Amino acid sequence: MAASSRAQVLRLYRALLRESQRFGSYNYRTYAIRRIRDAFRENKNIKDSEKIEELVNKAKANLEIIHRQMLSVGNLQPEGTIRPSSPPSPDALWL
C-alpha cells in the first residue's frame, strides 16, 4: 500500500472512530466502534489496490451516514420544546 493510501486509510479510521464517539447511546457507540475496529482488522492484509479503493469508498459512505445521523439526532427535539441553554435556577417555576 502506498504511503498516501495508508495515510488516507488511517485518517478515515480515526474519523470513523471519532464520529462514533458522538453516539449518545452507550450500546450504539460501543457497537459502532467494535464494528469499525473489526472491519479494519479483517481487511488490514489486503494488497489489491482496487479492493482497497472499494473498501475506502465504502468506509467514506459509512462515515457520511454516521455524520448525517448525528446531525439528524440533534434535530429530533419535539416541536415547541424549549431547550434551556443553562440549567434552570433553583427558584425558577417549572410547570
Side-chain angles (χ1 to χ4, degrees), residues 7-9 12 18 25 29 40-41 57 60 70 77 79-80 82-83:
Q8 177 187 16
V9 169
L12 186 56
R18 194 171 28 255
S25 168
R29 186 172 49 249
F40 275 80
R41 271 192 209 118
N57 289 336
K60 284 180 182 178
M70 297 283 62
Q77 191 74 16
E79 256 185 68
I82 299 172
R83 276 190 254 185

Side-chain angles (χ1 to χ4, degrees), residues 88-94:
S89 63
D91 58 328
L93 178 62
W94 290 85

Side-chain angles (χ1 to χ4, degrees), residues 7-56:
Q8 177 187 16
V9 169
L10 288 174
R11 275 194 306 272
L12 186 56
Y13 176 71
R14 285 188 216 110
L16 283 162
L17 289 176
R18 194 171 28 255
E19 199 67 27
S20 295
Q21 288 290 339
R22 296 177 58 203
F23 278 114
S25 168
Y26 173 79
N27 290 334
Y28 285 136
R29 186 172 49 249
T30 55
Y31 175 76
I33 291 169
R34 185 176 65 241
R35 283 292 300 132
I36 291 164
R37 287 180 177 154
D38 289 348
F40 275 80
R41 271 192 209 118
E42 179 181 321
N43 296 312
K44 73 178 183 180
N45 294 321
I46 293 179
K47 305 291 184 212
D48 182 22
S49 60
E50 288 180 18
K51 181 67 175 171
I52 292 172
E53 190 64 32
E54 178 186 327
L55 290 168
V56 165

Side-chain angles (χ1 to χ4, degrees), residues 60-92:
K60 284 180 182 178
N62 285 331
L63 179 60
E64 286 298 315
I65 290 169
I66 292 171
H67 186 71
R68 275 195 316 267
Q69 188 166 3
M70 297 283 62
L71 290 176
S72 67
V73 166
N75 295 329
L76 288 180
Q77 191 74 16
E79 256 185 68
T81 303
I82 299 172
R83 276 190 254 185
S85 58
S86 60
S89 63
D91 58 328

